[in-house]
Amino acid sequence: MAGVHGVERVGRGGTWGAAGVFTAVAFVAAGVLGAVQPATGVPTEVVQLTQFGPAAGVGATALYRWRRTRELLRGGGRRGGGGRAVALLGSAALIVALTVGAYGTLRGGVGFTPPGALHHPFALIAAAQLVGACGEEIGWRCFLQPLLRTRFGILASSVTVGVVWGAWHVPVFAQAPAYAAGFLVATVAMSVVLGVALDRTGGPYRLLLAGGFHTLVNLGLLLCMDEESGAVTPMLCFGLSCLAVALAWVRRRASAAAPVPASAAAPAPASEAAPAPTTLHGK
C-alpha cells in the first residue's frame, strides 16, 4: 500500500525503527563532529561540522534499509514551483526582518555587522552555510519529515520534526530556560513552515529549497543579531517571529484546503437567472 508520497508503506515498527536509528546517529554524530572541529581548523563562523550529523543519520539508516531510504529521499513527484520557492525564501527574509524589527523596537536599534567586517570572505561563508544547511536538511526535511508523513498529517509530522530538531541543539538547553524555550518555538515554527511549503515536493527540490531557507535565516541572523550570545531578548524575538510566519502558512493552507460551497460552485439554471442590474452597482 502506498503512503501519502507514493512511498511504500511499512509496518509501524519499521517506521519508528528507522526514525530511531536516524535520530540516535544524528545526535551522536553531531556530538563527535563538534568535538573534533577544533582539531580540523575549520572556523565555526564558516560552517559548523555538527550540521552534518543528520546526514550521517541518513547514511546509517540506509545501511540496513536502503530501498526505504532512497524512496524517502526521492520524495514526491511535484517540483518546487517558482511561486512556492519565492514564498518560502521570502518567508526566511520575513522572519529575519520581523526579528530585527522587534528587537530594534525593544532595544532602540540593532548592531548590523557589515559582510566585510566578518573574519572570512562573505561569499565563502554563504557557500559553506548552504552546504552545512543541506547537511542538516537532508535529514530533517528530506528523510524524517516524509517518513513521519506516511503516518501523520502535515502539522503533526512537522511539529514532531521541529521538536527533535530543537532538542538536537543540545548546548542551547544549557542557557536560560526562556532562551531555550524561544529557540524551541523557533525550530518548531520553522519546521511547520517548511513542512507545509514542501509537502509532496520531489527530493532534489525539497533539499535545495529547505537548504536555501535555512541558509537565509542563518545569514540574516549572523549579520543582524546576537541571538547566539545567550541573550534572551533576541532569541524570544526570533522565536515569536518564526511563530507569526508559521501561523500565516497554516492559515494559507487551511484556506486553500477549504471546500467550495455547493451553491458557489454550481451555476444557477438559466431559467432561474437573476434579473439584470438596473444600475452600475447592481442595486
Side-chain angles (χ1 to χ4, degrees):
M1 178 179 179
V4 294
H5 295 295
V7 178
E8 181 183 355
R9 236 184 213 281
V10 297
R12 186 178 299 274
T15 298
W16 292 119
V21 170
F22 162 77
T23 303
V25 174
F27 272 76
V28 172
V32 172
L33 290 170
V36 304
Q37 178 151 5
T40 66
V42 177
T44 56
E45 180 185 64
V46 176
V47 66
Q48 296 184 21
L49 297 184
T50 55
Q51 290 184 282
F52 298 99
V58 173
T61 308
L63 290 177
Y64 83 100
R65 201 174 286 278
W66 164 247
R67 180 180 175 186
R68 174 70 164 165
T69 302
R70 183 182 61 183
E71 290 175 343
L72 289 169
L73 294 179
R74 183 181 299 162
R78 190 170 67 176
R79 296 192 175 190
R84 187 149 38 107
V86 170
L88 180 59
L89 299 181
S91 294
L94 180 59
I95 287 172
V96 174
L98 290 175
T99 304
V100 171
Y103 185 65
T105 300
L106 293 173
R107 294 299 185 183
V110 295
F112 176 72
T113 302
L118 298 172
H119 296 97
H120 301 87
F122 183 71
L124 171 63
I125 293 175
Q129 285 285 330
L130 179 60
V131 173
C134 288
E136 280 195 49
E137 297 302 341
I138 195 172
W140 306 129
R141 246 58 62 175
C142 297
F143 178 82
L144 187 59
Q145 172 76 26
L147 175 64
L148 297 181
R149 185 71 173 92
T150 63
R151 291 290 176 186
F152 306 106
I154 294 178
L155 290 183
S157 57
S158 298
V159 169
T160 303
V161 172
V163 170
V164 177
W165 183 27
W168 176 78
H169 292 80
V170 176
V172 168
F173 297 94
Q175 306 293 338
Y179 181 95
F183 182 81
L184 194 58
V185 168
T187 59
V188 171
M190 287 190 291
S191 186
V192 169
V193 171
L194 289 163
V196 172
L198 301 178
D199 191 46
R200 304 172 191 246
T201 302
Y205 304 98
R206 177 187 290 267
L207 179 60
L208 183 60
L209 291 177
F213 174 93
H214 194 146
T215 300
L216 289 177
V217 171
N218 283 352
L219 292 176
L221 297 179
L222 173 67
L223 297 177
C224 301
M225 298 294 293
D226 61 345
E227 87 293 342
E228 292 191 357
S229 66
V232 172
T233 301
M235 181 55 73
L236 289 178
C237 291
F238 177 50
L240 293 176
S241 298
C242 293
L243 180 60
V245 173
L247 290 175
W249 273 93
V250 171
R251 182 177 180 181
R252 174 185 177 183
R253 173 176 173 78
S255 298
V260 178
S263 58
S271 59
E272 299 179 9
T278 55
T279 69
L280 292 177
H281 301 286
K283 295 182 179 178

